């Protein structure tokens, strides 16, 4: 059984540019995120709390982008909007894991910066490898459990429609295919969205407020500048994802929102953060930037 996605109405002359853009974008995402992952994993000097949290972000970005781009590229090439229902469920599940993972990972990274800047003398005592692993396991297990329940509730319902009004599969669009009462699904979906947003936003804004206060109290100008730069980077990434994600969630509840704008914002959530995150963190994090540059310099020397 297959479903039909709304997709994008591309003119014949727009197929190749769209294919080229999607393919190049996906290749950039794969290259940049894998570079960050291998740089951190293969360099023992980077096995520090901040980097151990950071490595989860490109892994999560690869999950989200790989859920979207292969099917999007296939859709552009074949001009087919059909997708197997099982493939649609897998795509939706991975996209929701990516969305929840982004919020939880960025929150964990904010907590790490909070301890590092506000309690520097206690940092190594608090952020032990065991403590870091507990947080990382909690992040991923929370994502899997919350999203698994969401889809268990979805799969129990009978479907009588096949056309999805979105450009990719997700829980709200899959619910439009159902002919039974979806009240429980809607309540649970709104509950986990509201709960995660309140907890994550509350923790992030509280930690960064405390960090800002600590920075302005500090008499060391270089320490203050470095801390502010790191926090500004983290906060920019978090706010970018939150704005795109919240608009997508709210747009499903508003009937007068343009479907084209809804589709664009939804896809943007899966394109911009995975593209920008490794570039921002790779350029802004001195240790990672130096290791990456040294690696490519050594490769160049070997080739010569």
């Amino acid at each position: 059984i297959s479903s039909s996605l709304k997709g994008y109405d591309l003119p014949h002359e727009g197929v190749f540019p769209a294919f080229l853009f999607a393919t190049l974008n996906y290749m950039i995402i794969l290259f940049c995120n894998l570079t960050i992952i291998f740089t951190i994993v293969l360099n023992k000097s980077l096995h520090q709390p901040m980097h151990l949290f950071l490595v989860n972000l490109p892994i999560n970005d690869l999950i989200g982008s790989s859920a979207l781009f292969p099917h999007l590229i296939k859709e552009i090439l074949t001009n087919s909007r059909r997708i197997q229902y099982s493939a649609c469920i897998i795509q939706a599940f991975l996209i929701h894991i990516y969305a929840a993972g982004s919020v939880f990972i960025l929150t964990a990274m904010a907590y790490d910066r909070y301890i590092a800047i506000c309690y520097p003398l206690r940092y190594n005592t608090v952020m032990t490898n065991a403590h870091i692993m507990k947080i990382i396991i909690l992040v991923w297990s929370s994502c899997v459990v919350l999203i698994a329940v969401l889809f268990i509730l979805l799969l129990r319902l009978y479907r009588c429609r096949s056309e999805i009004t979105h450009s990719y599969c997700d829980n709200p669009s899959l619910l439009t295919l159902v002919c039974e009462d979806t009240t429980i699904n809607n309540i649970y979906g709104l509950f986990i969205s509201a709960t995660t947003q309140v907890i994550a936003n509350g923790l992030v804004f509280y930690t960064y407020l405390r960090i800002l206060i600590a920075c302005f109290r500090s008499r060391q100008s270089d320490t203050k500048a470095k801390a502010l730069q790191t926090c500004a980077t983290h906060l920019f990434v978090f706010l970018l994802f939150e704005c795109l994600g919240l608009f997508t969630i709210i747009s499903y509840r508003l009937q007068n929102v343009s479907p084209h704008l809804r589709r664009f914002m939804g896809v943007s959530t899966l394109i911009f953060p995975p593209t920008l995150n490794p570039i921002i963190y790779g350029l802004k994090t001195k240790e990672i930037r130096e290791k990456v540059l040294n690696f490519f310099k050594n490769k160049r020397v070997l080739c010569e």
Side-chain angles (χ1 to χ4, degrees), residues 43-64:
N43 288 278
K44 287 187 178 180
S45 61
L46 295 178
H47 293 181
Q48 300 165 13
M50 184 178 79
H51 302 122
L52 292 175
F53 284 124
L54 175 58
V55 78
N56 288 274
L57 199 59
I59 292 170
N60 188 59
D61 287 341
L62 288 176
I63 291 171

Side-chain angles (χ1 to χ4, degrees), residues 186-285:
N186 291 329
I187 291 170
Y188 180 75
L190 287 169
F191 170 74
I192 61 170
S193 297
T195 305
T196 53
Q197 290 300 321
V198 168
I199 292 171
N201 285 309
L203 284 172
V204 167
F205 288 118
Y206 171 76
T207 53
Y208 285 124
L209 182 63
R210 290 292 302 272
I211 287 167
L212 281 172
I213 292 167
C215 286
F216 285 116
R217 284 178 179 172
S218 174
R219 294 178 182 178
Q220 298 176 320
S221 57
D222 56 333
T223 306
K224 186 194 293 186
K226 186 179 178 182
L228 286 172
Q229 186 184 45
T230 304
C231 293
T233 303
H234 288 196
L235 203 54
F236 170 76
V237 171
F238 183 79
L239 289 173
L240 173 68
F241 181 82
E242 282 295 303
C243 291
L244 292 172
L246 280 173
F247 179 87
T248 305
I249 292 168
I250 293 166
S251 68
Y252 278 110
R253 270 78 189 174
L254 302 174
Q255 297 300 319
N256 57 348
V257 174
S258 165
H260 297 291
L261 179 62
R262 184 187 295 135
R263 287 199 289 272
F264 172 76
M265 294 299 284
V267 170
S268 295
T269 311
L270 293 158
I271 293 176
F272 292 121
T275 307
L276 294 174
N277 285 348
I279 296 170
I280 289 170
Y281 284 108
L283 291 173
K284 289 289 183 182
T285 308

Side-chain angles (χ1 to χ4, degrees), residues 20-253:
L20 194 64
F21 171 78
T23 305
L24 283 174
N25 199 169
Y26 188 44
M27 295 301 289
I28 290 167
I29 288 170
L30 286 176
F31 175 76
C32 292
N33 282 289
L34 287 172
T35 299
I36 297 293
I37 292 168
F38 285 119
T39 301
I40 294 171
V41 170
L42 298 176
N43 288 278
K44 287 187 178 180
S45 61
L46 295 178
H47 293 181
Q48 300 165 13
M50 184 178 79
H51 302 122
L52 292 175
F53 284 124
L54 175 58
V55 78
N56 288 274
L57 199 59
I59 292 170
N60 188 59
D61 287 341
L62 288 176
I63 291 171
S65 56
S66 296
L68 172 73
F69 276 100
H71 181 78
L72 180 64
I73 293 166
K74 176 176 167 279
E75 184 186 317
I76 293 167
L77 278 177
T78 61
N79 197 28
S80 170
R81 296 172 187 172
R82 308 295 297 179
I83 183 171
Q84 288 294 318
Y85 186 68
S86 57
C88 192
I89 291 291
I90 292 168
Q91 184 187 56
F93 182 79
L94 292 176
I95 285 171
H96 282 274
I97 288 285
Y98 158 77
S102 296
V103 173
F104 290 151
I105 292 164
L106 291 168
T107 304
M109 289 171 69
Y111 168 72
D112 171 69
R113 291 300 81 205
Y114 166 68
I115 300 294
I117 294 166
C118 296
Y119 303 99
L121 298 177
R122 293 172 55 191
Y123 183 72
N124 290 329
T125 309
V126 174
M127 300 304 286
T128 60
N129 286 338
H131 187 56
I132 293 161
M133 285 309 298
K134 282 178 186 175
I135 294 171
I136 291 170
I137 291 168
L138 178 65
V139 163
W140 286 109
S141 59
S142 299
C143 291
V144 172
V145 170
L146 289 172
I147 304 307
V149 173
L150 187 72
F151 280 83
I152 288 167
L153 290 172
L154 170 70
L155 292 172
R156 70 192 172 87
L157 300 172
Y158 173 73
R159 288 177 296 114
C160 62
R161 302 182 191 92
S162 62
E163 186 173 358
I164 293 172
T165 57
H166 207 36
S167 52
Y168 58 80
C169 300
D170 60 3
N171 182 62
S173 59
L174 284 167
L175 283 175
T176 62
L177 306 182
V178 171
C179 300
E180 293 184 53
D181 182 27
T182 60
T183 304
I184 294 172
N185 300 66
N186 291 329
I187 291 170
Y188 180 75
L190 287 169
F191 170 74
I192 61 170
S193 297
T195 305
T196 53
Q197 290 300 321
V198 168
I199 292 171
N201 285 309
L203 284 172
V204 167
F205 288 118
Y206 171 76
T207 53
Y208 285 124
L209 182 63
R210 290 292 302 272
I211 287 167
L212 281 172
I213 292 167
C215 286
F216 285 116
R217 284 178 179 172
S218 174
R219 294 178 182 178
Q220 298 176 320
S221 57
D222 56 333
T223 306
K224 186 194 293 186
K226 186 179 178 182
L228 286 172
Q229 186 184 45
T230 304
C231 293
T233 303
H234 288 196
L235 203 54
F236 170 76
V237 171
F238 183 79
L239 289 173
L240 173 68
F241 181 82
E242 282 295 303
C243 291
L244 292 172
L246 280 173
F247 179 87
T248 305
I249 292 168
I250 293 166
S251 68
Y252 278 110
R253 270 78 189 174

